[in-house]
Amino acid sequence: AVSMLLESDSPPCVRHIFHSVRRKVLTRMDAKSDARWRDAILLTVSLWLFVLLIFLPTIVNRHADGSWSSVALDSATVLISMLLAMGLFALFRATLEWSQGLRAAVLLSAVAVLALTQTVFDLVFTGWVAANLESAWSDLPRDLSRGYSAVSNYLLVFTVNLALFQVSFARRRQLVQDRQLLDARSAAQQAQLMALRYQLNPHFLFNALNSISALIFTRRNEDAERMTEKLSGFLRSSLATDPAKLIPLEEELDHIADYLDIEGVRFGDRLDVSVECAPDAGEAFVPGFLVQPLVENAIKHGVAPSREPIEIRIRAAVEQGDLCITVENDIPPQTTDLKFGGGTGTGLINVERRPHAVYGTAATLAAERIDDTYKARICIPKFQRPH
C-alpha cells in the first residue's frame, strides 16, 4: 500500500529514492549465508556428546574387564561421527537451491550412507584395536547383529542431526527475513514522510507567494518586503528539519508561530490566534509539519474570505493516553457552504498520511462544522514521550 501511494502521489525524485532504498533493503541474501558452519558445528558437537553420554554406560559395561583406555578409545569414535556430520552439513548447504523433493531424497540417502559408513568404520576399528592395541577387544561382537543395531542407531542420530541443521537454518532465515521486512517498512516510512514533505513545501510556498503577490498588487510594498524576509527565514529553518524525524509538539507549535507571523503581515488584525497546549502534550513527539496544514486550511477558509477578525484556536491535550490536537476557526458570515479541504486538498491529505506513516491507521483525523465554527481534530494513540 505504501509503495502504491508513493508511486502515484510522490514526485519522481522521491519515487527514485524510495525504489533505490527498497532494492537495497529487500535484495534477497544468499541462502547459504543463513546456513552457518559455526551453528552447525555447535549443534553437531552438542548432539553427539549428548548421544555419547546416553551410551556411555553401555560402553563402560562393554569394557568392564578392560582398562579405561578401552573406554576412551571406544568413545573416541564419536569424533568420526562428528566429521561425517560435517560432511552432511556441506551437502545440506550445497543443495539449498534444489527442489524440495530432490533435495530431501539426496539428503536422506546421504544419511543412510553415513550410517552405513560409520557402522563399517566401527567394525573395522574394533578389529584393528583388537589386533594392535587391546587384545580384549577381540571378544567384542563384530557380526551382523551388531551391525544392524549400529546402523539403526546411526540412522536415527544422523537424521536428528540433519533435522537440527534444517531447524537452525529456518530459524535464522526467518530472523533475516523479519529484519529485512522491518528495514523495508522503515525505509518506506521515511520515503513516504519525505514525499509528503516534498508536497507540503510547495503547497505552503504557493500560498505564501500568492500572498506576497497580493501585497505588491495592492502597493503594500513594505508589508510584502517584511513578509518575504519572514518567509525566507521560515523556509530556511523548515528545510533544515529532517522530514522523517519526530519532534516535540512544542517545537511544532513554534514553527506554526513563525508561519502565523508571515500570515499576520498579510491579514493584520483580521487574524486572531489563541494557543493552548498542556505541558504533557507539548512534550509529546509528533511528525514534523503535522499541524501547520490544519492552520493553513483555517486561514484559507476562515480568515482569507472574511472582512472581520476571525479567531483561530489551537488546542493540544492528552486525553485518555491519546494526544489530541484541535484547530478551530470561526466561519465568516457570508460563507454558506464550507467544505473541509477545499481546493487541491494536498495539505490536508498530508495531515492524514503523515501520522498514518508513523502510527498506522490508529491515528485519526476528523473535521466537522458546528454552527459558526469549523473544527479539525487529529488524535495520535500511544504517542511517544521523551526518554
Side-chain angles (χ1 to χ4, degrees), residues 59-217:
I59 296 174
V60 172
N61 184 62
R62 184 187 300 167
H63 301 285
D65 298 332
S67 62
W68 281 101
S69 61
S70 295
V71 175
L73 281 173
D74 204 346
S75 301
T77 58
V78 74
L79 298 176
I80 303 301
S81 301
M82 294 178 184
L83 290 176
L84 291 176
M86 289 297 95
L88 178 62
F89 180 70
L91 181 62
F92 177 89
R93 294 183 86 242
T95 59
L96 282 173
E97 303 296 337
W98 293 14
S99 64
Q100 292 185 357
L102 177 60
R103 184 167 182 258
V106 169
L107 291 175
L108 291 178
S109 298
V111 167
V113 170
L114 291 182
L116 183 61
T117 301
Q118 181 70 63
T119 300
V120 171
F121 172 82
D122 287 352
L123 297 176
V124 172
F125 182 70
T126 299
W128 182 83
V129 172
N132 297 278
L133 299 178
E134 296 283 350
S135 57
W137 281 48
S138 58
D139 296 332
L140 297 179
R142 283 177 283 171
D143 53 11
L144 291 179
S145 61
R146 180 187 175 188
Y148 286 137
S149 176
V151 168
S152 299
N153 290 333
Y154 284 127
L155 274 174
L156 176 61
V157 180
F158 278 117
T159 300
V160 172
N161 211 155
L162 178 62
L164 290 176
F165 292 156
Q166 179 61 35
V167 169
S168 176
F169 168 76
R171 178 178 176 275
R172 183 167 292 280
R173 193 67 180 161
Q174 185 62 47
L175 290 175
V176 170
Q177 290 176 348
D178 290 345
R179 185 172 62 249
Q180 287 179 327
L181 180 59
L182 182 62
D183 291 344
R185 287 175 176 171
S186 177
Q189 179 191 97
Q190 293 184 12
Q192 185 183 11
L193 290 175
M194 186 178 295
L196 297 177
R197 171 70 178 280
Y198 273 111
Q199 291 178 349
L200 177 60
N201 283 337
H203 177 70
F204 162 70
L205 188 59
F206 176 79
N207 289 340
L209 291 178
N210 270 348
S211 299
I212 294 174
S213 176
L215 291 174
I216 295 175
F217 181 77

Side-chain angles (χ1 to χ4, degrees), residues 268-301:
D269 294 338
R270 291 159 55 194
L271 176 59
D272 184 14
V273 180
S274 66
V275 179
E276 292 183 9
C277 180
D280 53 348
E283 295 177 351
F285 282 79
V286 298
F289 296 92
L290 174 66
V291 186
Q292 180 183 320
L294 294 179
V295 179
E296 286 187 38
N297 191 72
I299 290 178
K300 178 179 180 181
H301 296 287

